[in-house]
Amino acid sequence: MGVLNVTPDSFSDGGRWTDPEAALARGLEMRAEGADVVDVGGESTRPGAEPVGEDEERRRVVEVVAALARHVTVSIDTRSAAVAEAALAAGATLVNDVSASLWPVAAAGGAGWVAMHMQGDPRTMQRAPSYGDVVAEVQSFLLDRARQARTAGVAEVWIDPGIGFGKTLEHNLALLRHLDRLVATGVPVLVGASRKRFLGALLGDAPPDDRLEGSVAVAVWAALSGVAMVRVHDVAATVHAMRLVGGTTFAPVTV
Ligand code: HH2
């Protein structure tokens, strides 16, 4: 899954793809590089981010989704039911939901749904994240949401531990170390660690543009752990690494 943020303020690619033509070109480029899905987002959920109004978010994404959906599978990265509905009407087929609450929209629209775990909300989530057993708590939350979505009629459900969403460095590393436990639930797992802050912290405060090796390493580790899809900014480098390590074992996903 290639990341396409059509926002002015996303933590690593903010402002780069706000022009719809540039966004379409980047989406097509990622498809050519080997992305099976392009994830379009119109609101930054980086730590400390303020929410964007629904009208503005919809304005940012709909044109890009409509143009891209003619060429590639598109997911809509949103916490807003109205934005998800508009994106599905424009041709998106997967709702990537960091709030893990939009399964009724996916059910009504016949779309797939990604449930991501987050403790708190983006504005405050990194102030004092706290868990007893982070792996067990995240797993049980996600399984519960996956069951609710399936009961509501969503045919394609994914779960995502939400790396960096209300988690300390230790929480992120514990979740990554034990991805096999999420995989063992039988629900397909998605992981997004690309360019995230914890990678910078491990490398002595490297800025987002200097987190490529860490991002690729985590993506390969995730695939070796049985994760079905990784959400990345650097599609070409990730696909090359996957091919090298996995050969034909890492099959393209069907969504
Ligand atoms: N991370 C981000 C956004 N959406 N969706 C899923 N399923 N999993 C993730 O880990 C995830 C996500 C944050 O990264 P990014 O979109 O690059 O930045 P920003 O939120 O600043 O737009």
Side-chain angles (χ1 to χ4, degrees):
M1 172 186 274
V3 180
L4 186 62
N5 285 316
V6 290
T7 64
D9 59 343
S10 288
F11 78 91
S12 84
D13 60 348
R16 289 193 67 188
W17 319 115
T18 44
D19 168 40
E21 271 184 34
L24 174 62
R26 176 60 188 148
L28 295 178
E29 183 178 52
M30 288 195 286
R31 185 196 62 162
E33 290 172 352
D36 297 304
V37 181
V38 172
D39 187 39
V40 177
E43 179 192 50
S44 172
T45 48
R46 72 189 185 287
E50 294 290 337
V52 174
E54 227 157 52
D55 287 345
E56 171 61 12
E57 190 184 342
R58 196 171 21 221
R59 187 196 64 72
R60 290 177 185 174
V61 298
V62 165
E63 184 181 343
V64 176
V65 168
L68 262 180
R70 292 191 283 122
H71 306 281
V72 63
T73 299
V74 173
S75 65
I76 177 69
D77 183 359
T78 188
R79 300 183 284 162
S80 152
V83 172
E85 277 162 8
L88 295 183
T93 54
L94 186 62
V95 178
N96 177 23
D97 177 10
V98 304
S99 72
S101 64
L102 299 180
W103 70 90
V105 177
W113 181 62
V114 179
M116 196 201 77
H117 177 276
M118 165 162 59
Q119 188 178 78
D121 67 66
R123 229 163 21 85
T124 57
M125 65 192 178
Q126 288 308 109
R127 283 189 194 158
S130 149
Y131 301 83
D133 176 340
V134 65
V135 179
E137 286 170 40
V138 168
Q139 175 176 340
S140 113
F141 170 86
L142 291 173
L143 258 188
D144 188 57
R145 292 298 162 108
R147 282 197 197 105
Q148 274 178 281
R150 286 209 172 124
T151 306
V154 182
E156 180 196 327
V157 177
W158 299 77
I159 54 174
D160 180 333
I163 298 300
F165 284 84
K167 279 120 192 159
T168 62
L169 172 63
E170 286 69 30
H171 296 144
N172 289 323
L173 293 179
L175 287 164
L176 290 172
R177 201 171 294 126
H178 296 293
L179 282 173
D180 57 333
R181 281 170 56 187
L182 275 188
V183 170
T185 63
V187 185
V189 178
L190 167 66
V191 169
S194 182
R195 299 187 189 170
K196 282 190 176 166
R197 191 178 292 186
F198 79 103
L199 295 169
L202 285 171
L203 297 173
D205 262 343
D209 280 350
D210 290 344
R211 298 174 190 166
L212 175 63
E213 298 87 344
S215 302
V216 172
V218 174
V220 170
W221 164 255
L224 288 171
S225 304
V227 162
M229 182 150 65
V230 286
R231 179 181 182 279
V232 302
H233 301 83
D234 301 287
V235 174
T238 308
V239 168
H240 290 166
M242 294 277 187
R243 284 203 191 120
L244 191 69
V245 177
T248 52
T249 331
F250 301 154
V253 293
T254 316
V255 287

